[in-house]
C-alpha cells in the first residue's frame, strides 16, 4: 500500500511538471529574456536565425558626451563686443619720434595693416617726413584673453576670412593691443544674429582658439597630469617638434574614406567602425589643444597638436578622458568611442593635418 502511494504521488508530480511546459494558447511564448541585472553576453541573445534584425537608433547631436570637469573654452569665457571703429583710407606724415604702433593708435588702423599697405620690412621702422598710406576699414582692438573665434563670432564673419584679411600665419597668435581688420559685412544687426551666422569648425579651433597674449607674456607649458586645469585665458605652448611616429588610434573597418564623396563634398578624414566604448589612443606624442563638444556634428572631440605643424583629430567619442593643456604619449587612451555628433553608427572620426591642410591617414599610416 505504501508503495502504491509513492507511485501515485510521483505520477501527480510528473503531470504537474509536464503541464508547466505546455504552451498556453492564451499567453503566447515571448522567448527567453535574461534577468535585468544579468551581464550582457552573446549567450543571452537569441540564435542569429531567430533574432530580429538589429536596429541602430542615432542620438541627438548633443547627446552622450561626457568629459572631465573643465572651464568653458576661451571664446565662451571671454566674449567679445563688436565695438570696432571704421576709418577711411587716408595718408599720414610721420613725425619725429613716431613708431608704427603709435601711428596705428593715432589713426585707428592696425600696425600690421599699415606695414603691409606700405611694404615696410621687419622691424617696421619709419622715419620722420615719410608719407604713409593708412588703409581704411573696420578694426577691432584686441583685449586680454580674447580669441580669434570670439572675435569672428561677435562680428558674424568666418575666422578664415579674418586670417586672410590680416595675412595671419602660424601659429596665429593674437597680441593684446593689436587691431584686427574685420572684412566684409557683419552677419546681422544684432549680436544674436551675428553669433548665429558663425559656425565653429576644426580649422577655427586650430587657428583661432588661443587667447591673446599681453606684452612679454609667455604661453603656459603643458602638464602630464589630467588634474591640472588650465584657465581658459591662459595661452598654451605648442610642441615645437614631432617626437614620435604616428599610429592608428583604433583598429576597425574604415567605412568612410578621405577625399571627395559621391555628392562632391570633401571628407577631411576617415571614419572607423568600432564597438561602443573602444579606447581611442593618441596617434603620437603631443599636447591636447581641445577637448569638448563645441562642433555639433563631431560630438565628443579631442584635438592633439604634435609639433612640426602636425595635428590629429578624434571625434564622435562618448567620453573624453583628457583636458586642454595635457601632454599625452603615443598609445595613451584619450577618449572612448561613441556615436555622438552626426554619426550614424558607433565609430571614430580620425583626421591628420599638416598645418591647416588635411592629409589622408591611409597614406601616412600602415594598413589598419
Amino acid at each position: 500500500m505504501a508503495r502504491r502511494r509513492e507511485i501515485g504521488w510521483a505520477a501527480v508530480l510528473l503531470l504537474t511538471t509536464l503541464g508547466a511546459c505546455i504552451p498556453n494558447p492564451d499567453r503566447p511564448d515571448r522567448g527567453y529574456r535574461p534577468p535585468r541585472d544579468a551581464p550582457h553576453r552573446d549567450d543571452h541573445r537569441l540564435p542569429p536565425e531567430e533574432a530580429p534584425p538589429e536596429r541602430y537608433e542615432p542620438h541627438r547631436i548633443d547627446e552622450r558626451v561626457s568629459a572631465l570637469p573643465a572651464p568653458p573654452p576661451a571664446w565662451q569665457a571671454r566674449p567679445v563686443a563688436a565695438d570696432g571703429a571704421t576709418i577711411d583710407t587716408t595718408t599720414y606724415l610721420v613725425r619725429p619720434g613716431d613708431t608704427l604702433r603709435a601711428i596705428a593708435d593715432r589713426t585707428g588702423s592696425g600696425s600690421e595693416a599699415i606695414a603691409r599697405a606700405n611694404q615696410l620690412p621687419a622691424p617696421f621702422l619709419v622715419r620722420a617726413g615719410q608719407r604713409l598710406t593708412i588703409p581704411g576699414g573696420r578694426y577691432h582692438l584686441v583685449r586680454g584673453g580674447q580669441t580669434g573665434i570670439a572675435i569672428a563670432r561677435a562680428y558674424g564673419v568666418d575666422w578664415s576670412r579674418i586670417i586672410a584679411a590680416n595675412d595671419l600665419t602660424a601659429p596665429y597668435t593674437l597680441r593684446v593691443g593689436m587691431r584686427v581688420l574685420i572684412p566684409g559685412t557683419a552677419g546681422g544687426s544684432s549680436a544674436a544674429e551675428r553669433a548665429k551666422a558663425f559656425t565653429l569648425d576644426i580649422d577655427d579651433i586650430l587657428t583661432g582658439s588661443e587667447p591673446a597674449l599681453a606684452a612679454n607674456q609667455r604661453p603656459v607649458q603643458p602638464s602630464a597630469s589630467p588634474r591640472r586645469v588650465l584657465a581658459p585665458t591662459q595661452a598654451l605652448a605648442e610642441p615645437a617638434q614631432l617626437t614620435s611616429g604616428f599610429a592608428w588610434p583604433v583598429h576597425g573597418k574604415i567605412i568612410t574614406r578621405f577625399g571627395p564623396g559621391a555628392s562632391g563634398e570633401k571628407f577631411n578624414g576617415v571614419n572607423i567602425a568600432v564597438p561602443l566604448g573602444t579606447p581611442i589612443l593618441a596617434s603620437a606624442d603631443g599636447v591636447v589643444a581641445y577637448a569638448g563638444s563645441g562642433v555639433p556634428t563631431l560630438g565628443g572631440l579631442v584635438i592633439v597638436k604634435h609639433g612640426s605643424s602636425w595635428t590629429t583629430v578624434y571625434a564622435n567619442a562618448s567620453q573624453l578622458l583628457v583636458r586642454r593643456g595635457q601632454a599625452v604619449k603615443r598609445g595613451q587612451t584619450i577618449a572612448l568611442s561613441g556615436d555622438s555628433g552626426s554619426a550614424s553608427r558607433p565609430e571614430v572620426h580620425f583626421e591628420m593635418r599638416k598645418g591647416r591642410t588635411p592629409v589622408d591617414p591611409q597614406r601616412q599610416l600602415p594598413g589598419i
Side-chain angles (χ1 to χ4, degrees):
M1 183 61 100
R3 178 69 174 167
R4 260 183 216 166
R5 278 202 204 93
E6 290 178 5
I7 293 173
W9 282 113
V12 171
L13 180 62
L14 177 62
L15 289 173
T16 304
T17 304
L18 289 174
C21 296
I22 298 174
N24 184 345
D26 298 326
R27 184 180 175 187
D29 181 25
R30 298 182 184 274
Y32 171 72
R33 292 175 182 267
R36 290 190 178 184
D37 58 350
H40 185 68
R41 295 173 52 191
D42 289 342
D43 58 0
H44 285 153
R45 299 178 181 175
L46 294 172
E49 65 272 14
E50 298 179 24
E54 188 175 0
R55 182 181 177 188
Y56 174 73
E57 294 288 347
H59 308 291
R60 295 198 318 268
I61 59 177
D62 58 348
E63 277 187 333
R64 291 200 177 180
V65 180
S66 64
L68 298 177
W75 57 88
Q76 294 178 1
R78 189 62 59 90
V80 168
D83 55 3
T86 302
I87 65 169
D88 296 326
T89 299
T90 59
T91 58
Y92 179 86
L93 187 63
V94 179
R95 307 171 187 176
D98 270 346
T99 64
L100 192 60
R101 174 55 64 88
I103 295 170
D105 290 341
R106 188 172 291 125
T107 62
S109 184
S111 55
E112 294 82 2
I114 297 172
R116 288 196 304 274
N118 294 275
Q119 299 181 348
L120 299 177
F124 311 117
L125 300 176
V126 294
R127 65 181 186 277
Q130 186 177 6
R131 190 171 294 277
L132 300 176
T133 297
I134 307 300
R138 189 177 190 184
Y139 291 90
H140 174 83
L141 178 64
V142 178
R143 281 86 163 184
Q146 292 185 350
T147 62
I149 292 174
I151 294 171
R153 190 191 296 270
Y155 290 94
V157 176
D158 289 341
W159 172 238
S160 59
R161 293 182 60 202
I162 298 178
I163 287 177
N166 291 272
D167 198 25
L168 299 178
T169 57
Y172 309 99
T173 302
L174 297 179
R175 292 280 177 181
V176 175
M178 72 182 293
R179 286 181 172 81
V180 176
L181 177 64
I182 307 298
T185 306
S189 56
S190 70
E193 289 173 334
R194 292 192 297 271
K196 189 176 180 180
F198 176 83
T199 302
L200 185 69
D201 61 23
I202 290 175
D203 188 66
D204 296 327
I205 297 175
L206 290 178
T207 60
S209 62
E210 288 300 304
L213 290 172
N216 302 320
Q217 183 182 0
R218 292 180 178 273
V220 177
Q221 293 298 317
S223 169
S225 172
R227 291 187 293 274
R228 192 194 74 168
V229 180
L230 195 65
T233 53
Q234 290 179 294
L236 175 64
E238 298 181 15
Q241 299 293 327
L242 178 67
T243 58
S244 75
F246 287 98
W248 287 102
V250 292
H251 290 278
K253 180 181 178 181
I254 294 180
I255 55 176
T256 309
R257 297 184 182 275
F258 180 91
S263 58
E265 77 282 6
K266 184 179 178 182
F267 200 71
N268 291 328
V270 295
N271 283 350
I272 308 169
V274 292
L276 284 169
T278 299
I280 302 174
L281 312 181
S283 182
D285 295 356
V287 175
V288 178
Y290 177 78
S293 54
V295 182
T297 58
L298 295 179
L301 172 64
V302 176
I303 298 177
V304 180
K305 293 189 175 183
H306 304 281
S308 303
S309 300
W310 281 104
T311 302
T312 52
V313 176
Y314 317 77
N316 304 127
S318 60
Q319 293 185 49
L320 310 180
L321 306 178
V322 290
R323 292 187 177 102
R324 172 180 174 263
Q326 183 177 339
V328 294
K329 290 291 185 181
R330 170 179 165 171
Q332 177 178 339
T333 301
I334 58 176
L336 299 181
S337 66
D339 48 13
S340 62
S342 59
S344 59
R345 59 181 292 175
E347 62 187 33
V348 173
H349 175 74
F350 177 60
E351 295 184 19
M352 299 181 70
R353 298 195 180 205
K354 180 70 170 176
R356 298 173 67 187
T357 305
V359 176
D360 186 354
Q362 290 186 272
R363 292 182 177 271
Q364 295 292 322
L365 304 178
I368 193 169

